[in-house]
Amino acid sequence: MAKFSTILALLVAAVVAVSTSAFAPQPAFSRPSSELAVKISVSVGDGEPIESALRRFKREVNKSGHLMELRHKRYFENSQEKKKRKVKEGRMRKKFERMQRKRMAQRT
């Protein structure tokens, strides 16, 4: 009888534990995470000024594109706005590539 009451007590405790967590109210919305997996490191040499290391770090951050992605995620952007932005960025990229080719052609 003692074994039966122990098993019954464990079963009731398990049901209570499951039922309280299963029916807990969920948040109405979840905020999108603004965290990015940024793995940028800059090694500072002996006797190197901190300004030059900071400049190299800023250059690496800009090249990685994480800041631009965070700026775009700051506000909600629907698919139409995103497409417009991508087309505009593509046009600017093409323009800068043309300018760079023109400069390089003038140098030689």
Side-chain angles (χ1 to χ4, degrees):
M1 187 67 177
K3 194 173 192 179
F4 177 73
S5 63
T6 307
I7 292 174
L8 184 62
L10 287 174
L11 183 62
V12 168
V15 168
V16 168
V18 168
S19 66
T20 57
S21 64
F23 297 110
Q26 298 295 322
F29 63 92
S30 62
R31 294 188 70 184
S33 175
S34 62
E35 295 178 9
L36 296 172
V38 182
K39 294 194 175 22
I40 298 173
S41 63
V42 174
S43 58
V44 181
D46 292 335
E48 181 183 6
I50 193 70
E51 289 84 14
S52 66
L54 187 60
R55 194 177 317 117
R56 284 191 293 126
F57 176 74
K58 286 181 180 179
R59 191 178 309 129
E60 289 296 320
V61 168
N62 283 334
K63 282 196 316 188
S64 71
H66 287 94
L67 285 180
M68 288 303 291
E69 189 175 342
L70 278 177
R71 284 189 193 120
H72 295 311
K73 288 184 175 186
R74 185 177 294 168
Y75 302 107
F76 178 74
E77 183 179 44
N78 64 21
S79 61
Q80 184 179 8
E81 291 170 345
K82 192 180 294 187
K83 286 177 189 175
K84 284 182 180 178
R85 177 177 53 84
K86 296 269 185 178
V87 167
K88 186 177 176 182
E89 287 174 356
R91 266 188 266 144
M92 291 297 288
R93 192 170 36 252
K94 290 281 189 184
K95 178 181 174 183
F96 286 126
E97 287 173 2
R98 279 195 309 269
M99 289 170 46
Q100 188 69 17
R101 276 194 302 250
K102 189 176 176 181
R103 280 192 203 125
M104 295 305 286
Q106 288 176 354
R107 289 180 73 190
T108 56

